[in-house]
Amino acid sequence: MLARNGDDAADFAGRTDSDTFDAVVSPCGARGAPSLGRAGSLRTDRYHSVATPPSTLAQSGGSCPDLPDDVEDDLQNALVNVDGDLDADSVDDVRRSINELDTNLIESEGTDGVSVTNDATDLSDGSDSVLTDGEVDDLVRAYDTYSDKSYGRDVRDIQDDIDDLDQNDVDGLDDAINRGTSSFGDDISSNMKGLDGEVEVNSDLLDRDDIDANDLEMDKQIREDSSWETDSLQSSDYNSNTDIDSDIDGGPAYEVKNLDYEPFAEFPRAYEETADSLDDLRTKLNTFGASGQDEIVVVVRQDADTAFAPEVQRSLSGQLSGAESLRDLGDQVESNFDGVEVTFKRFNEVETS
């Protein structure tokens, strides 16, 4: 409801009396309540009311339960400080939204969950919208999943960075968001973790005096070219379709890896998967170098000189055999291309240098 209607829905839910709230939000009432408007003289102008719903609302026993008390309480508590003007001629939009109502984000984030949803909805408002309504829905659902994870930043911080990038009209923001919310299930969390890191880095870049928003592009697409193949590098050494997370016109290309390359748990193939991720990074940086990027900055969570776990080192193969750290990986990419420099930075170093 909030994702589709923003402040209108928040204002309705926050100002309506409890009977009206139940009439609209309960499964039967949501399908039956015909109109939404200002209350009559018997109520103060603080409230809105729904015209008497049809008899279907009376069928709430068993098959049509009211909204559970704990969910209603979560929603009401979260909305208590949200202001907005109701601007709805009918309850149709509210009724359609109820069918997809998911309060997990509000339950976990409270008022922040409401404000994040409303700010996300603003991305689809106006002629210069960054996202479509459907893409906003995807973003809110991704926030819902991501907020339950123990890693990553608060969704409020992520949305703040997105708002910053939107206000500065940074190119490619829409593509980056859509890529970060493009999967379902557990994959959403993985993609959102990537988006989390990318918007953090790009927002930090905007804070620097030496970078202009007009020179910054997110999610710049580059493709592997057959002419890049040499005696030492073949097609398998490149990513056939990759992206630059932050491309600065006349400056470095930034690759953001919102992770460290240490297995976080013991499970079958844990070390092999980490080794595969390192090889993916190698091929992506090769693609950067072959496409003409001579300054490459990789933003990671760990120090570039930190040694990989012995089990990870033993799992490395091919050109990465013998590599002991990220710095070794960068040195190998530099050796593949004349004039290319690979620099590693921690997230807290991006804003200052």
Side-chain angles (χ1 to χ4, degrees), residues 17 58 94 147 152 158 229 303 353:
D17 57 80
V94 177
S147 66
I158 300 173
E229 294 190 18
D303 188 277
S353 60

XYZ file of all heavy atoms in Angstrom, residues 17 58 94 147 152 158 229 303 353:
61
model
N -9.937 6.253 11.739
C -10.288 5.585 12.991
C -10.140 4.080 12.808
O -10.033 3.574 11.694
C -11.721 5.939 13.398
C -12.722 5.574 12.315
O -13.078 4.392 12.240
O -13.107 6.469 11.535
N -19.354 -8.133 6.267
C -19.918 -8.850 7.400
C -19.528 -10.321 7.393
O -19.765 -11.033 8.361
C -21.438 -8.729 7.392
N -6.017 1.859 -3.035
C -5.735 1.236 -1.747
C -6.129 -0.229 -1.782
O -5.389 -1.106 -1.333
C -6.486 1.974 -0.618
C -6.252 1.277 0.716
C -6.054 3.426 -0.545
N 16.655 -6.266 4.744
C 16.606 -5.767 6.120
C 16.653 -6.890 7.144
O 16.973 -6.661 8.305
C 15.339 -4.926 6.336
O 14.173 -5.729 6.222
N 25.546 -5.973 5.847
C 25.094 -4.809 5.086
C 24.629 -3.680 5.987
O 24.485 -3.811 7.202
N 21.014 3.156 2.796
C 21.082 2.883 1.357
C 20.194 3.861 0.598
O 20.607 4.456 -0.407
C 20.653 1.435 1.070
C 21.569 0.442 1.789
C 20.661 1.164 -0.430
C 21.098 -0.996 1.696
N 42.105 -10.652 -27.714
C 42.817 -11.911 -27.524
C 44.274 -11.777 -27.981
O 44.569 -11.219 -29.039
C 42.129 -13.035 -28.291
C 40.740 -13.359 -27.752
C 40.158 -14.616 -28.355
O 40.940 -15.414 -28.923
O 38.938 -14.815 -28.260
N 42.102 -5.303 3.658
C 43.364 -4.754 3.181
C 43.877 -5.604 2.026
O 43.820 -6.840 2.069
C 44.384 -4.727 4.323
C 45.651 -3.996 3.935
O 46.515 -4.624 3.306
O 45.766 -2.800 4.261
N 40.183 10.383 -0.806
C 41.314 10.308 -1.744
C 40.881 9.693 -3.051
O 39.837 9.052 -3.143
C 42.448 9.478 -1.130
O 42.038 8.164 -0.830
